[in-house]
Amino acid sequence: DSGVTQTPKHLITATGQRVTLRCSPRSGDLSVYWYQQSLDQGLQFLIQYYNGEERAKGNILERFSAQQFPDLHSELNLSSLELGDSALYFCASSVGLATYNEQFFGPGTRLTVL
Amino acid sequence: AQSVTQLDSHVSVSEGTPVLLRCNYSSSYSPSLFWYVQHPNKGLQLLLKYTSAATLVKGINGFEAEFKKSETSFHLTKPSAHMSDAAEYFCVVSPNAGGTSYGKLTFGQGTILTVHP
């Protein structure tokens, strides 16, 4: 158990809908990261927050947004969903900003868009 | 810019034989390199990391990797495979530069390791 929790574990929704994925980092970790894992794209970094501020952006679509709250939990919002958004979404956390910090991954949320 | 190439999408070994998972990287900066493992229906777990200290890095569960700058490689090895090693393995690179590269990991496509009894 990494100490990172993600809810829900599974989510099934329809095209055009909006969903929110939630992540609670390990106790003491200030950085939260979001990743998307799909069969065709592999694992891709989406976005990083550190202590409430956005710090790095990857291949995140404009239809997607995220935020980190004062209690350090984070939410990833996916809107106008398309079939291609079906994927496993991982959250990870680390103690600091630096790239050499170990990232601890949650179990993921599996999103299915029908 | 940075990229990672895992040279084998699947590797199959017998229990008790050595494991070699190959990884080549490209990075504009002196990189940090990682190997993560993902067991079925689980999140990723860090096996080991290289951050410009010793070039031979030892990780958990008997795995180790050697950073070879001249070959831009970071291959993962284990002397003797165990059934519990069956999983997908990801080679990961991150720049050590600051700025907007904070925390940004670039993942290889993964290598699925199968271990036969």
Side-chain angles (χ1 to χ4, degrees), chain A:
Chain A
D1 184 359
S2 68
V4 178
T5 59
Q6 290 186 249
T7 56
K9 286 189 176 178
H10 301 276
L11 201 47
I12 301 174
T13 188
T15 54
Q17 295 298 305
R18 173 189 170 97
V19 298
T20 297
L21 313 184
R22 182 188 168 101
C23 168
S24 293
R26 289 190 325 154
S27 177
D29 284 357
L30 298 178
S31 271
V32 170
Y33 313 79
W34 286 98
Y35 295 89
Q36 180 194 59
Q37 185 178 33
S38 62
L39 283 175
D40 52 345
Q41 300 285 338
L43 254 167
Q44 292 195 95
F45 166 74
L46 295 178
I47 198 164
Q48 177 198 9
Y49 279 82
Y50 177 79
N51 205 20
E53 291 189 14
E54 180 186 310
R55 296 310 298 259
K57 233 173 180 177
N59 300 324
I60 187 165
L61 299 172
E62 284 192 12
R63 300 183 285 108
F64 296 0
S65 65
Q67 53 184 328
Q68 186 180 27
F69 294 87
D71 67 352
L72 301 178
H73 91 272
S74 177
E75 293 181 356
L76 179 67
N77 299 296
L78 316 176
S79 61
S80 302
L81 285 167
E82 302 175 0
L83 296 177
D85 298 327
S86 296
L88 195 50
Y89 291 84
F90 286 109
C91 167
S93 73
S94 70
V95 64
L97 264 178
T99 58
Y100 52 77
N101 286 318
E102 177 178 357
Q103 295 186 21
F104 293 86
F105 283 76
T109 293
R110 184 169 295 280
L111 174 67
T112 303
V113 182
L114 301 175

Side-chain angles (χ1 to χ4, degrees), chain B residues 33-53:
Chain B
L33 292 158
F34 309 81
W35 276 98
Y36 279 84
V37 61
Q38 184 179 25
H39 288 93
N41 300 313
K42 300 273 188 180
L44 284 83
Q45 181 186 20
L46 180 69
L47 277 179
L48 49 81
K49 66 178 180 181
Y50 165 79
T51 56
S52 77

Side-chain angles (χ1 to χ4, degrees), chain B residues 102-113:
Chain B
Y102 288 128
K104 182 177 179 179
L105 302 182
T106 299
F107 287 77
Q109 286 299 99
T111 298
I112 295 173
L113 176 64

Side-chain angles (χ1 to χ4, degrees), chain B residues 52-68:
Chain B
S52 77
T55 56
L56 183 62
V57 182
K58 293 188 184 300
I60 62 171
N61 301 332
F63 284 94
E64 63 181 38
E66 186 171 7
F67 173 71
K68 292 187 176 180

